[in-house]
Amino acid sequence: MSAGADIILLLHITGGTVAMVAGAVALVSRKGDNLHRVAGTVFFLAMLVMAGIGATVAPFLDDGQRPNTVAGVLTFYLVLTAWTTVQRQDGGVSRFAIVGFAVALGAALAGLLFALEAQASPTGTIDDSPPQAFYLFMIVGGIAAATDLKVILRGGISGAPRTARHLWRMCVGLFIASGSFFLGQQQMLPSFMRGTLWQFAPVLAPLLFMLYWLVRVRLTNWATRTPDAAPGESAVTLAKANA
């Protein structure tokens, strides 16, 4: 049992480390290039390993791990739905979309319930986490559930909205993973980073890149046209490659 626990912990740490490195490469590499695609694939797989283990193991730990449980489920969902968004063809809604909507809504409701429980606690915390720690789950889960419902009601998504959906979910997943390490595991950081802006830089970077690309995708025709397009290449193909 001890050896098995050590292996699981090693896989969790390795998955998170690989995911942060691959995510950083995907953010700064040219969109649509092989480097971006390979880094994105590695990021996707590593994040599933990291988040899947975290969400599965956290409820069984002796000390309270409800924040980590919700974070693991939400991160797993974000990365998986971001990936499936660009893997399927434009338009259409699969059964998986309904399941995803239920997961996102559940994460938002869990965040709300845990925040209320923390506020009512004599210590003002739950599992040593203040109510503010659950606001992220409420906001991200609520936005994700609302956009899932919109896609379901519209019968699918295409073009720039499809690229933007992939983009923000991947970036928020990386933001959660980076925050869990750089803010939640400060004892592993070099002393010069602790309590300085350097500690927050890798956490906020995914959000800054996300804002830049969301503006570029939604306010320009970048998602459907590119100067490198081959003759006859469709807008759908380009949007998928650029995502």
Side-chain angles (χ1 to χ4, degrees):
M1 292 292 291
S2 178
D6 290 340
I7 293 175
I8 291 175
L9 178 61
L10 179 62
L11 287 174
H12 176 72
I13 295 174
T14 302
T17 302
V18 173
M20 287 188 290
V21 174
V25 173
L27 283 177
V28 301
S29 59
R30 189 173 185 272
K31 304 302 178 284
D33 280 357
N34 287 334
L35 178 61
H36 173 77
R37 296 179 183 180
V38 171
T41 301
V42 173
F43 170 76
F44 166 70
L45 296 174
M47 285 289 286
L48 290 189
V49 172
M50 184 273 294
I53 292 176
T56 304
V57 173
F60 300 98
L61 299 179
D62 293 334
D63 53 339
Q65 292 289 330
R66 276 171 283 192
N68 289 336
T69 302
V70 180
V73 171
L74 184 59
T75 303
F76 191 98
Y77 152 84
L78 287 172
V79 175
L80 185 58
T81 53
W83 181 262
T84 56
T85 294
V86 294
Q87 293 303 308
R88 62 172 179 261
Q89 296 296 320
D90 273 7
V93 178
S94 65
R95 295 179 181 178
F96 176 74
I98 300 176
V99 176
F101 166 73
V103 172
L105 184 61
L109 293 176
L112 174 61
L113 293 176
F114 291 152
L116 294 175
E117 186 175 346
Q119 290 178 345
S121 171
T123 62
T125 64
I126 176 174
D127 296 342
D128 295 325
S129 298
Q132 294 80 3
F134 298 97
Y135 291 169
L136 175 64
F137 308 138
M138 296 165 54
I139 296 172
V140 175
I143 293 175
T147 53
D148 280 350
L149 182 60
K150 182 179 180 180
V151 170
I152 293 172
L153 294 178
R154 291 179 57 181
I157 191 171
S158 60
R162 177 170 174 253
T163 303
R165 174 183 171 90
H166 165 79
L167 171 68
W168 83 260
R169 289 168 183 253
M170 283 292 199
C171 287
V172 172
L174 179 57
F175 164 73
I176 295 176
S178 300
S180 298
F181 176 75
F182 287 97
L183 302 182
Q185 303 294 331
Q186 300 184 35
Q187 71 278 7
M188 300 184 66
L189 300 177
S191 57
F192 76 88
M193 289 187 64
R194 300 173 193 169
T196 68
L197 293 178
W198 290 110
Q199 181 180 341
F200 293 89
V203 180
L204 298 178
L207 297 183
L208 296 178
F209 274 95
M210 179 188 73
L211 292 175
Y212 167 77
W213 281 108
L214 282 178
V215 170
R216 189 171 179 184
V217 167
R218 298 308 298 263
L219 299 184
T220 71
N221 60 356
W222 177 88
T224 56
R225 290 176 58 189
T226 174
D228 297 330
E233 191 169 11
S234 69
V236 172
T237 302
L238 294 175
K240 184 174 179 179
N242 287 328

